Amino acid sequence: MRYVINAERINILSEIQTKIGYKFRNIELLNWALTHSSYANEHKRFKITYNERLEFLGDSVLGLIVSDYIFTKYSNYPEGDLTKLRATVVCEPSLSYVAKQIDLGKYMLLGKGEEVTGGRERVSILADAFEALIGSIYIDGKFNNAKKFVLKYMTGIIENAVNGRELFIDYKTQLQELLQKKTKSKIEYKVVSEEGPDHNKVFFTEVVVKGNILGKGFGRSKKEAEQNAAKKALERMEVENEY
């Protein structure tokens, strides 16, 4: 791992640590979590490591923490309801919502191109950074600190979802539930093309059932593209009364 950290950057990172209530033993892990690929690509000579690997780890840690919490607290929920609840809680819009609550975009290292196009407010970037932050806390402070951090910010979202006050629409779950009533065929999401450089990609996705394309969508991340494809499929099915 390689980073560019100077005194000014350390002061900025100190601010976000105070805000989230966790002090890193290894400040480079925090900087790594907040480094976007666009910044690394614009500073290739430094061979800077960006946050996608931490995002991968954080996604798994987040899923485990939320699963453990809802499994224990809502012991009367069957597996299907737990799955739906978890999907609502850990969806991209909810993660970006939390990231905005702690002003995470303010502390990120972004490339100039991403900066001028609103990257600090982009849903996919913020959601990925929040997952990367979870991953960095997990490495730095182990599972219990990661759990404390996640539940500090996600418990309210879980309770809202349980009480029917869902802040976020999970189109993929809605589509799956609708189709399961009428077909046992597998639902597939396929990335059919990608456009743009690595740090500024747009993904084009199709949702397919029994070889039929139900909807198409695009987004700055695969998750966002899948949600948009599912949304289009639901809109089409409502109009045509399919399946």
Side-chain angles (χ1 to χ4, degrees):
M1 299 180 294
R2 292 194 62 182
Y3 311 88
V4 178
I5 303 182
N6 54 27
E8 180 182 3
R9 181 62 178 165
I10 290 175
N11 286 336
I12 292 172
L13 295 176
S14 295
E15 184 179 320
I16 181 64
Q17 288 178 98
T18 300
K19 183 171 291 187
I20 66 175
Y22 179 78
K23 184 174 178 60
F24 278 78
R25 296 171 177 84
N26 181 358
I27 194 69
E28 290 187 345
L29 283 168
L30 176 58
N31 198 56
W32 180 14
L34 299 178
T35 302
H36 189 252
S37 58
S38 61
Y39 183 87
N41 285 326
E42 288 188 10
H43 300 81
K44 288 183 178 179
R45 68 185 184 279
F46 295 113
K47 297 181 180 180
I48 297 169
T49 306
Y50 49 91
N51 65 6
E52 288 183 0
R53 281 174 53 83
L54 273 180
E55 174 204 340
F56 164 80
L57 177 62
D59 177 69
S60 297
V61 175
L62 172 65
L64 176 58
I65 292 169
V66 172
S67 296
D68 176 70
Y69 180 83
I70 63 177
F71 176 84
T72 302
K73 184 165 185 177
Y74 304 104
S75 57
N76 61 321
Y77 274 38
E79 181 272 339
D81 289 343
L82 289 174
T83 299
K84 179 181 178 181
L85 177 58
R86 181 180 61 192
T88 300
V89 172
V90 303
C91 68
E92 197 170 67
S94 73
L95 300 183
S96 67
Y97 172 83
V98 176
K100 288 179 180 179
Q101 298 307 298
I102 59 177
D103 204 11
L104 199 59
K106 172 184 175 182
Y107 305 100
M108 293 194 66
L109 294 174
L110 296 175
K112 294 179 181 178
E114 197 66 65
E115 177 86 49
V116 299
T117 57
R120 295 192 187 278
E121 296 294 323
R122 185 161 294 127
V123 168
S124 58
I125 290 178
L126 291 176
D128 291 347
F130 186 70
E131 288 182 328
L133 180 57
I134 294 169
S136 68
I137 293 174
Y138 171 75
I139 294 173
D140 188 76
K142 307 305 179 186
F143 183 77
N144 283 340
N145 278 305
K147 181 178 180 179
K148 184 185 299 184
F149 172 74
V150 168
L151 295 181
K152 177 180 179 180
Y153 292 103
M154 304 295 290
T155 300
I157 291 174
I158 294 171
E159 292 174 354
N160 281 335
V162 168
N163 294 320
R165 299 191 299 270
E166 298 184 13
L167 298 174
F168 319 100
I169 301 175
D170 184 355
Y171 296 108
K172 288 179 65 176
T173 298
Q174 286 188 4
L175 180 62
Q176 180 176 336
E177 290 180 344
L178 182 61
L179 291 175
Q180 281 179 341
K181 296 177 182 178
K182 302 179 180 181
T183 179
K184 294 182 180 180
S185 299
K186 183 180 179 181
I187 305 172
E188 296 181 278
Y189 290 87
K190 299 180 178 179
V191 176
V192 293
S193 65
E194 303 175 10
E195 294 183 3
D198 288 342
H199 66 279
N200 194 29
K201 276 190 180 299
V202 176
F203 297 89
F204 294 83
T205 299
E206 296 175 347
V207 55
V208 180
V209 176
K210 295 190 294 189
N212 297 319
I213 300 172
L214 300 188
K216 299 180 179 180
F218 65 91
R220 292 296 187 121
S221 70
K222 292 179 182 179
K223 292 178 182 179
E224 183 181 2
E226 289 174 357
Q227 286 287 346
N228 287 333
K231 180 181 179 181
K232 290 296 183 182
L234 288 166
E235 292 172 351
R236 173 188 167 187
M237 293 167 68
E238 182 179 358
V239 172
E240 301 180 4
N241 194 27
E242 290 190 356
Y243 291 92

